[in-house]
Amino acid sequence: MLIKISGLILAFVFFSSIGFYQSYKLKKRKDNLCTILLFLNRMCTSIQYRNDDLFLLVSKCCDDILTPLKEVKSDTSEYSQKISALPLNKEDKTLLEKFFSGLGTSDIDGQIRHISLYTNFFNELYEKSKTDIEKKSKLYTLSGVFAGLTFVVMFI
């Protein structure tokens, strides 16, 4: 009987943790998008007021999840390799790769417009992630808890 109860408790914890993990992923995506938006704002400001090399500007503006991008020193095609290893959503990775493919291909005004365009794209994704958290976070958490409870009730 003790083994059955401990097994049911473990099953409940397992199902609940799946729901909590899905909710956590939504919140983590919002944080990652916020980091990307901060990076883009820093890049825009740095391009306007500094006359540094593109790779130096990127390395100065990267932090948190974008830290691996600091390692790129000479070729913009290396950014796609570094981005593919980042812990981001597929849609976010694709958009970030497109951003870096167009970076450094025009004058300063063109770069500022390029950064502003991608800031708008990432801002839309950020707002969407906030609404996803509001709508789905509680749903995922409760779904996991109810799945765990259903499993426990079925085997009692």
Side-chain angles (χ1 to χ4, degrees):
M1 184 67 177
L2 185 60
I3 293 174
K4 182 178 181 180
I5 291 173
S6 62
L8 291 174
I9 290 171
L10 262 141
F12 174 74
V13 169
F14 172 74
F15 284 111
S16 297
S17 65
I18 290 173
F20 285 116
Y21 178 68
Q22 292 298 326
S23 176
Y24 167 78
K25 282 184 8 182
L26 288 175
K27 292 173 186 170
K28 188 66 178 170
R29 179 170 188 236
K30 183 185 84 123
D31 293 342
N32 291 343
L33 289 170
C34 184
T35 300
I36 292 171
L37 284 170
L38 286 172
F39 164 75
L40 292 173
N41 287 331
R42 287 185 198 136
M43 281 292 294
C44 190
T45 304
S46 296
I47 284 178
Q48 286 177 348
Y49 299 112
R50 293 184 181 178
N51 195 16
D52 289 337
D53 181 72
L54 175 68
F55 302 105
L56 184 61
L57 286 174
V58 170
S59 68
K60 285 182 180 180
C61 296
C62 289
D63 64 346
D64 200 21
I65 61 160
L66 299 176
T67 304
L69 299 178
K70 289 182 177 185
E71 299 170 7
V72 177
K73 301 292 182 200
S74 62
D75 187 15
T76 54
S77 64
E78 291 179 42
Y79 283 121
S80 63
Q81 296 169 351
K82 297 292 182 183
I83 290 169
S84 65
L86 294 176
L88 294 173
N89 190 334
K90 186 176 182 178
E91 181 182 12
D92 302 341
K93 285 181 184 181
T94 304
L95 195 57
L96 201 57
E97 285 176 359
K98 287 180 183 177
F99 168 74
F100 277 105
S101 69
L103 193 62
T105 57
S106 64
D107 63 342
I108 292 176
D109 291 331
Q111 293 304 302
I112 292 170
R113 285 193 303 274
H114 178 75
I115 293 171
S116 297
L117 174 69
Y118 279 89
T119 300
N120 290 336
F121 289 153
F122 278 107
N123 202 18
E124 288 174 13
L125 290 175
Y126 179 76
E127 293 300 324
K128 183 181 173 220
S129 73
K130 282 182 11 181
T131 58
D132 283 349
I133 288 173
E134 291 173 6
K135 292 179 181 178
K136 296 178 183 177
S137 180
K138 195 171 186 178
L139 172 72
Y140 288 154
T141 303
L142 290 176
S143 294
V145 169
F146 286 134
L149 285 173
T150 303
F151 185 83
V152 168
V153 168
M154 283 177 38
F155 285 100
I156 288 184

